[in-house]
Amino acid sequence: MKVLIANRGEIAIRIIRACRELGYSTVAVYSEPDRKSLHVLHADEAIPIGPAPSSESYLNTQRILDAAKSTAADAIHPGYGFLAENADFAETCRNEGVVFIGPSVHAIRAMGSKTESRSLMASVGVPIVPGLTAPVETFDELSEFASANGYPVMLKANAGGGGKGMRIVRDGEELRKAYERVSSEASSFFGDPAVYAERAILSPRHIEVQVLGDQHGNLIHLGERECTLQRRHQKVIEECPSPVIDEATREHIGKIALKAAAAVSYDSAGTIELLRDEEGTFFFLEMNTRLQVEHPVTELATGIDLVKEQIRVALGETLSLRQEDVKLRGHAIECRIYAEDPYRNFAPSPGLIRNLMLPSGPGVRNDNGVYSGYSVPLHYDPMLSKLITFGVDRDEAIQRMKRALMEYRVDGIQTTIPFYLSMMDNDRFRAGEFDTGFIDRHLEELAQPKVTEEYVEAAIVVAAIRALEESEKVVLPDRSDSKWKNASRFEGVRGRL
Amino acid sequence: MKRIAIIDGEQRRVLVERFEDSFVVEIDGKRIIAELIHANASIDTLRIGKGRQYAVVHQQSGERHAVFFPSSRVDLDLRDPLTLSRKGAGDDLGGDEKIVRAVMPGRVVRVEVSEGDEVERGKSLLVIEAMKMENTIEAPRRGTIISLHVEAGSTVDTGAELITIE
């Protein structure tokens, strides 16, 4: 069995690892700037698929299928992002006799449209956020909904997802402008200007449920993930389990998730995203018909290898687990390490990683995609790696994360590590009390370097010693005393001796 | 070796000498015995006094030093007191580099100043897009814009000359 991984970075490596453990060989694909990326170096075979822009490489279905054919790959794993939720690509793969490691084309399509999935969910009794279940045709239609519902309302792109193409509207005056804005964003990001509206849920928590199904009608859930901590609608810290979910609630949202997944006869690994309002009511938000970035926290808390399970069921195997086999134990936390400078308003920081020291020790997992000497390209997502820690309980997982972040050293580019360190010390975070707006509201304080007199003195000492060492360096003329050169000279004259 | 450290416009006198296997550093007369253990080219552990240790990453560009601790960062200039007095200390504490350079590769989205403009330190000069994000480049010091080396749409590499300020 040979699997081609149509992705890059840490997730491609994660999938290569799962394939190796299953005894399968692997094919990496890469764009020009990714020639020396870590995922490429890990694979058994590597095929170039085009220049830097994703549209000409990682989103180029023809090149990827050609690579699969030229290497005689049996299956394609799309990872997350790129082609992972592209129903046409999944269909083409299957028509060409290549296994697409993901759910049925029908499930991808049904969950791909926000309004269609909302009406489907409502029809099977899954609670949805109150609002429209079809895109608005005119502004008047939207205005009518807003007046009837009352403000604030949430405008969303019908084809949206991943936190893009959404806007909260607080009063009637903002409505027209917001409508035009979301519609044009929807057009440019998703190629579909359709917009709909729903009630805005204030101070929500974002909690999602992992599901796993096979092609024989078996479907189970693997508990929840806490994904409330976001910056600009992008998740940054995830946990399993959630500090606000007890056993009864877990069973309740597990049932909601299974009902939602069963409505599309789901037969792979997938995630039902839910919003929890301040009263503790849950609403269906969307279904991600793919592997999730934050899947490792579920893996650590359940002991189940999600990627291997996903590959097995795609190959037609029956799920080896029953619902009663799934038990959450301990606590896992993930921090997404980005090449961004938290002290400079999270400006991207691509470039050469001169040195890298990854944390290790008990309960630490690195899903890492970079190395010392690697240059982070500016064409792609700035995520370098995911750092995940596991502990017997949430406190231990947090302390471990703090400890691991202190061991983590990167030189050459800036990363979000200092930001996560201050999060781990934050009282509200430690108490588990936060909503999706928490980080954006407290960003200034969370991204502030702790500059105390102690640090200033230590910094001066370091800089002064470095400057002295620099001044002592004497540049010697090249005396060609390299051992390699000497050895080759010796080889050269040996025959004449 | 004598140096003046400048942090947020504040100056401190620094003296650094070798002392057996370690160093002695004096900051405004306060004596600190220190050892800097190089794990590799830039990742260090600083050991001072009776053994207090700090994990540090050190970066340098000319006289500018950035020292990173796990949850902090300190930026400082380390100047030779002789050159400092020659230039008239205190006039240009934002650094004496006249050329503003790109700190990251990317594409110039817009330029927000024109030649001849007077700018204050921190004024937004231009915006560079990288990794699908827009980043504002600010004036490192007060001065006059002498020349613009890029325009909207230019692609730049790290270290590329953007603007000259005097």
Side-chain angles (χ1 to χ4, degrees), chain A residues 115-235:
Chain A
T115 49
E116 269 173 50
S117 65
R118 276 165 61 80
S119 45
L120 176 64
M121 290 302 107
S123 74
V124 297
V126 170
I128 58 169
V129 181
L132 303 173
T133 51
V136 295
E137 307 260 334
T138 61
F139 174 73
D140 290 343
E141 209 179 309
L142 177 64
S143 174
E144 217 167 277
F145 166 77
S147 326
N149 173 82
Y151 288 91
V153 297
M154 182 69 95
L155 285 192
K156 285 187 176 178
N158 190 38
K164 293 211 171 77
M166 52 194 270
R167 188 163 297 244
I168 204 163
V169 185
R170 295 183 193 281
D171 59 57
E173 282 172 32
E174 288 177 26
L175 192 63
R176 185 178 287 274
K177 218 173 167 183
Y179 171 63
E180 283 161 6
R181 186 84 183 252
V182 174
S183 190
S184 96
E185 275 179 17
S187 244
S188 62
F189 279 130
F190 312 109
D192 175 5
V195 167
Y196 76 101
E198 58 188 39
R199 178 186 297 166
I201 297 194
L202 302 173
S203 300
R205 283 183 92 110
H206 181 124
I207 288 165
E208 59 188 32
V209 181
Q210 176 71 49
V211 297
L212 191 57
D214 65 18
Q215 295 167 19
H216 310 281
N218 301 302
L219 189 61
I220 61 170
H221 76 84
L222 280 72
E224 80 284 359
R225 283 187 291 263
E226 170 64 69
C227 302
T228 298
L229 288 168
Q230 309 183 356
R231 201 177 68 79
R232 297 184 194 154
H233 302 300
Q234 302 293 318
K235 296 168 191 167

Side-chain angles (χ1 to χ4, degrees), chain A residues 318-387:
Chain A
T318 305
L319 214 53
S320 60
L321 300 149
R322 288 160 305 168
Q323 189 64 60
E324 56 269 32
D325 299 329
V326 180
K327 295 267 183 297
L328 297 187
R329 57 176 244 306
H331 197 96
I333 298 184
E334 170 180 288
C335 290
R336 299 185 184 190
I337 311 295
Y338 288 103
E340 293 174 343
D341 187 350
Y343 299 143
R344 302 226 147 85
N345 199 23
F346 293 85
S349 184
L352 177 69
I353 296 176
R354 278 199 289 269
N355 280 301
L356 174 71
M357 280 165 74
L358 291 174
S360 57
V364 175
R365 166 172 164 177
N366 282 297
D367 278 24
N368 169 53
V370 298
Y371 54 87
S372 292
Y374 172 70
S375 202
V376 182
L378 69 155
H379 313 282
Y380 309 108
D381 184 279
M383 194 170 79
L384 302 172
S385 75
K386 301 179 309 208
L387 175 62

Side-chain angles (χ1 to χ4, degrees), chain A residues 63 79 88 90 94 133 157 172 180 226 259 375 411 429 496:
Chain A
R63 291 248 176 83
D88 294 341
R94 287 172 182 150
T133 51
E180 283 161 6
E226 170 64 69
K259 203 189 269 184
S375 202
D411 174 35
F429 170 69
R496 284 180 253 145

Side-chain angles (χ1 to χ4, degrees), chain A residues 243-463:
Chain A
V244 297
I245 302 284
D246 58 20
E247 200 48 58
T249 315
R250 180 165 305 123
E251 200 170 311
H252 169 63
I253 60 175
K255 277 188 185 148
I256 294 177
L258 290 178
K259 203 189 269 184
V264 292
S265 311
Y266 202 75
D267 61 356
S268 180
T271 296
I272 310 291
E273 296 198 334
L274 302 168
L275 274 189
R276 173 185 177 271
D277 71 9
E278 284 174 300
E279 279 80 54
T281 310
F282 287 88
F283 302 98
F284 172 87
L285 194 60
E286 65 181 33
M287 178 170 193
N288 293 318
T289 54
R290 55 167 164 86
L291 190 65
Q292 208 85 339
V293 177
E294 59 273 23
H295 74 276
V297 291
T298 299
E299 293 188 319
L300 293 183
T302 59
I304 295 166
D305 187 319
L306 270 170
V307 185
K308 281 198 285 195
E309 291 299 329
Q310 186 194 26
I311 296 171
R312 284 195 187 109
V313 295
L315 297 174
E317 286 183 34
T318 305
L319 214 53
S320 60
L321 300 149
R322 288 160 305 168
Q323 189 64 60
E324 56 269 32
D325 299 329
V326 180
K327 295 267 183 297
L328 297 187
R329 57 176 244 306
H331 197 96
I333 298 184
E334 170 180 288
C335 290
R336 299 185 184 190
I337 311 295
Y338 288 103
E340 293 174 343
D341 187 350
Y343 299 143
R344 302 226 147 85
N345 199 23
F346 293 85
S349 184
L352 177 69
I353 296 176
R354 278 199 289 269
N355 280 301
L356 174 71
M357 280 165 74
L358 291 174
S360 57
V364 175
R365 166 172 164 177
N366 282 297
D367 278 24
N368 169 53
V370 298
Y371 54 87
S372 292
Y374 172 70
S375 202
V376 182
L378 69 155
H379 313 282
Y380 309 108
D381 184 279
M383 194 170 79
L384 302 172
S385 75
K386 301 179 309 208
L387 175 62
I388 310 112
T389 58
F390 180 74
V392 290
D393 55 22
R394 189 168 185 266
D395 282 345
E396 189 178 58
I398 291 174
Q399 278 303 119
R400 236 174 214 160
M401 180 57 78
K402 197 176 154 184
R403 184 270 290 172
L405 288 164
M406 290 176 77
E407 288 177 16
Y408 210 132
R409 306 231 219 144
V410 186
D411 174 35
I413 60 169
Q414 308 308 318
T415 74
T416 46
I417 292 167
F419 165 75
Y420 291 121
L421 266 169
S422 75
M423 278 300 297
M424 294 304 125
D425 274 337
N426 183 279
D427 292 340
R428 296 275 305 280
F429 170 69
R430 294 191 83 111
E433 292 163 5
F434 42 78
D435 63 21
T436 53
F438 179 78
I439 289 177
D440 289 323
R441 282 198 306 277
H442 299 277
L443 196 58
E444 208 162 312
E445 142 207 0
L446 290 167
Q448 198 68 40
K450 273 187 253 168
V451 183
T452 59
E453 178 61 21
E454 184 188 358
Y455 282 125
V456 168
E457 278 184 6
I460 293 173
V461 171
V462 170

Side-chain angles (χ1 to χ4, degrees), chain A residues 232 343-344 347-348 355 357 377-378 409 411-412 414 421 450 453-454 456-457 465-466 468-469 472, chain B residues 7 12 18 23 30 38 40-44 52 54 56 59 68 70-73 105 130-131 133 135:
Chain A
R232 297 184 194 154
Y343 299 143
R344 302 226 147 85
N355 280 301
M357 280 165 74
L378 69 155
R409 306 231 219 144
D411 174 35
Q414 308 308 318
L421 266 169
K450 273 187 253 168
E453 178 61 21
E454 184 188 358
V456 168
E457 278 184 6
I465 292 174
R466 283 295 203 167
L468 180 66
E469 287 176 338
E472 290 169 347
Chain B
I7 298 173
R12 302 185 192 212
R18 284 207 177 259
F23 298 87
K30 181 178 171 184
H38 304 310
N40 49 38
S42 50
I43 295 175
D44 299 335
R52 173 82 170 92
Y54 300 86
V56 295
Q59 291 175 3
F68 298 84
S71 56
S72 189
R73 124 174 225 165
M131 286 175 158
M133 290 266 299
N135 311 281

